[in-house]
Amino acid sequence: MTEKIAKTEAEWKQQLTPEQYHVTREAGTEPAFTGKYWKTKDAGTYHCVCCGEELFDSTTKFDSGTGWPSFYKPADEARVAEHKDSSYGMVRTEARCAKCGAHLGHVFEDGPAPTGLRYCMNSASLDLKPQKKDNK
């Protein structure tokens, strides 16, 4: 079981940029085609911007055409919690970091094989740690 991280709203506001706070702590959404990772193809791992938990591997990232970084599966399913989201007159599956509760984005059933899922994430909720280059 993942150890939970709890901070006050003041602590989150001190740690995060206003956009990161809005997206991760207030379940906001960055505008499509504006986030820093929507078209990134760099190899590495995507971590939660709030707590550093590894969430996605770049090998599962794909271009969904939606303007947000999309992945077909998490690095470890236990690290991404899914919840029913009935906001805005729609029923969707919200994705949150299981460790700190940060809002990441939503999961849709229109992704590629092998899972058929599209984890549509906000760049503001992620931190890409580049794959280390081998110096051989």
Side-chain angles (χ1 to χ4, degrees):
M1 177 115 171
T2 302
E3 184 180 329
K4 304 281 184 191
I5 289 180
K7 293 185 179 185
T8 66
E9 294 309 305
E11 288 173 316
W12 287 124
K13 282 183 177 179
Q14 185 176 15
Q15 174 186 332
L16 303 168
T17 68
E19 181 184 36
Q20 290 170 334
Y21 180 84
H22 174 65
V23 168
T24 62
R25 310 319 308 174
E26 299 176 326
T29 302
E30 65 199 13
F33 306 101
T34 64
K36 64 182 178 177
Y37 299 130
W38 76 271
K39 61 182 177 180
T40 298
K41 294 183 178 11
D42 297 347
T45 52
Y46 289 84
H47 297 249
C48 176
V49 74
C50 292
C51 70
E53 183 80 324
E54 183 180 332
L55 301 171
F56 298 95
D57 189 280
S58 63
T59 60
T60 65
K61 188 172 187 285
F62 67 98
D63 182 1
S64 64
T66 62
W68 288 281
S70 298
F71 305 85
Y72 62 79
K73 73 174 188 173
D76 181 335
E77 289 182 19
R79 295 180 187 166
V80 177
E82 297 180 11
H83 303 278
K84 182 179 178 181
D85 176 3
S86 302
S87 63
Y88 303 106
M90 299 178 277
V91 178
R92 301 176 289 175
T93 301
E94 178 189 19
R96 288 191 171 265
C97 174
K99 190 170 185 178
C100 71
H103 172 75
L104 305 171
H106 291 88
V107 185
F108 300 95
E109 295 180 350
D110 61 0
T115 65
L117 298 174
R118 172 173 52 97
Y119 287 81
C120 188
M121 304 292 100
N122 288 285
S123 291
S125 67
L126 302 173
D127 180 28
L128 174 60
K129 302 216 184 277
Q131 183 176 355
K132 290 190 167 65
K133 302 258 192 281
D134 202 358
N135 293 333
K136 291 182 181 177

